[in-house]
Amino acid sequence: MVNIKVPLNPVQKRGLWPPKGGREYPVLDTDDWWKIAAREHIDAWALIEFNFQTHVPEEVNWYLRELVGCRHSRDGGRNYAFIGADPKLRKIYLPAVPPPPPPAPIPWPDKLKKLQYEVEHSNDPQKERFLCMLKAMENRRDDRVIFWSTIAPGPEWVAPLGVEGRGIGKALIDSQWLYKNIKTVRDVDLLPYGNGLPRSDTFVISFHKYLFETASPSIGILRAANAEIVKTHVMLDRWANQSMGGSASMPTCYRAIKEFIRLQEQSDYPSVINCIVTTGT
């Protein structure tokens, strides 16, 4: 059951719904707060605060039910989602004048251009994919990726045959931390971005940081990283495949990671992970 708490003084009783100066926005089934906020170049919780004057998740759920007509959940019943909301109510409000997007100078344009040139003049079979990835980073699209070597299960997880476990000496995320902190796709979405170096609080890598700040950018590094990203996709699919003994045995944290990747793959703009789907396997 969705967690709900009735606010002490709801916004509609204070004349704050709809929020003054807001632009009406009919939510789509595919929307969530973070997608809408990203399009508006604002923080997701600032958008929630603009609508409901609260940062308490349980109160947000109450408002979503009462004011937006939400009745369904995407995260196992913890929070309401916009999908299937009451057609008579399904709208939120956006700030009247969105703040301008933050300046986004790219500190690594020369390195990126050089790598693009190397890829363009190569005979690599994945040339189209690599150029798509580089273009996504150049355009400041979502470049979050997950390497399988970082999240591969150890002996404490029961994974079916065909799912590659951790190797000796690999620096992996702590299994207890993963179990405790990752329960929904939102938990993955809110993680800080790493640069490929081992961290105790994230396994989500900012690909441009990895390529241009940690590694020495080259087509060889792109090949190796692509293999790791694809392996994450393949291994999670195998784990969730019932015919291979997966599905029911897949831990909640790995299900959340798989859903995060699925949403990245199906994004409407060319994110780095989306490039892998649109250019074939």
Side-chain angles (χ1 to χ4, degrees):
M1 184 174 179
V2 172
N3 300 318
I4 286 176
K5 178 182 178 181
V6 180
L8 292 176
N9 194 5
V11 291
Q12 65 269 39
K13 291 186 177 180
R14 290 183 279 153
L16 298 177
W17 180 264
K20 291 179 173 57
R23 295 176 289 139
E24 183 178 302
Y25 174 75
V27 293
L28 306 175
D29 282 350
T30 54
D31 275 332
D32 60 40
W33 290 109
W34 280 259
K35 286 182 180 179
I36 298 170
R39 291 197 296 265
E40 293 296 307
H41 304 289
I42 60 176
D43 178 76
W45 276 106
L47 180 60
I48 294 170
E49 173 79 18
F50 178 76
N51 278 267
F52 304 140
Q53 301 293 307
T54 183
H55 278 74
V56 179
E58 293 81 5
E59 292 183 359
V60 174
N61 280 327
W62 185 86
Y63 282 123
L64 285 172
R65 186 186 70 182
E66 298 299 313
L67 301 182
V68 188
C70 298
R71 293 294 184 272
H72 304 287
S73 173
R74 287 185 185 270
D75 60 5
R78 293 176 65 198
N79 299 286
Y80 280 123
F82 293 131
I83 185 170
D86 185 340
K88 297 178 181 178
L89 298 175
R90 54 181 306 146
K91 57 180 175 287
I92 61 170
Y93 293 85
L94 309 177
V97 180
I106 301 177
W108 29 265
D110 291 340
K111 291 182 179 179
L112 185 141
K113 292 295 184 183
K114 183 177 179 181
L115 185 53
Q116 282 179 328
Y117 181 87
E118 181 183 355
V119 173
E120 286 170 351
H121 291 79
S122 75
N123 294 318
D124 195 286
Q126 298 292 351
K127 176 173 20 178
E128 181 184 356
R129 174 179 299 174
F130 295 161
L131 290 175
C132 179
M133 290 175 164
L134 294 173
K135 194 67 176 177
M137 287 182 279
E138 183 180 25
N139 291 339
R140 305 294 287 184
R141 300 298 189 184
D142 194 336
D143 72 338
R144 292 175 295 173
V145 299
I146 298 172
F147 290 170
W148 182 249
S149 59
T150 305
I151 62 169
E156 63 274 20
W157 302 105
V158 181
L161 291 175
V163 174
E164 182 180 304
R166 70 175 60 176
I168 298 175
K170 288 185 178 178
L172 305 171
I173 202 74
D174 180 73
S175 298
Q176 288 299 317
W177 180 92
L178 195 65
Y179 176 82
K180 179 180 178 181
N181 290 279
I182 305 301
K183 294 181 171 59
T184 70
V185 66
R186 183 182 171 194
D187 294 332
V188 183
D189 196 50
L190 294 178
L191 286 175
Y193 310 157
N195 58 8
L197 297 176
R199 286 181 58 160
S200 61
D201 61 346
T202 193
F203 49 83
V204 177
I205 296 170
S206 171
F207 201 38
H208 83 269
K209 289 184 177 180
Y210 171 77
L211 279 179
F212 302 111
E213 296 179 14
T214 305
S216 177
S218 68
I219 195 169
I221 294 293
L222 265 177
R223 289 192 196 104
N226 171 69
E228 279 286 332
I229 299 166
V230 171
K231 185 181 287 187
T232 300
H233 173 99
V234 171
M235 293 299 156
L236 290 175
D237 273 358
R238 287 181 183 175
W239 204 339
N241 189 328
Q242 192 170 10
S243 66
M244 298 183 66
S247 190
S249 68
M250 194 177 197
T252 300
C253 51
Y254 283 96
R255 289 182 182 277
I257 297 170
K258 187 176 189 303
E259 177 65 8
F260 171 82
I261 292 173
R262 184 188 70 81
L263 293 174
Q264 296 293 90
E265 291 172 346
Q266 296 178 359
S267 62
D268 296 329
Y269 53 84
S271 66
V272 168
I273 289 181
N274 178 262
C275 286
I276 292 177
V277 177
T278 57
T279 57
T281 57

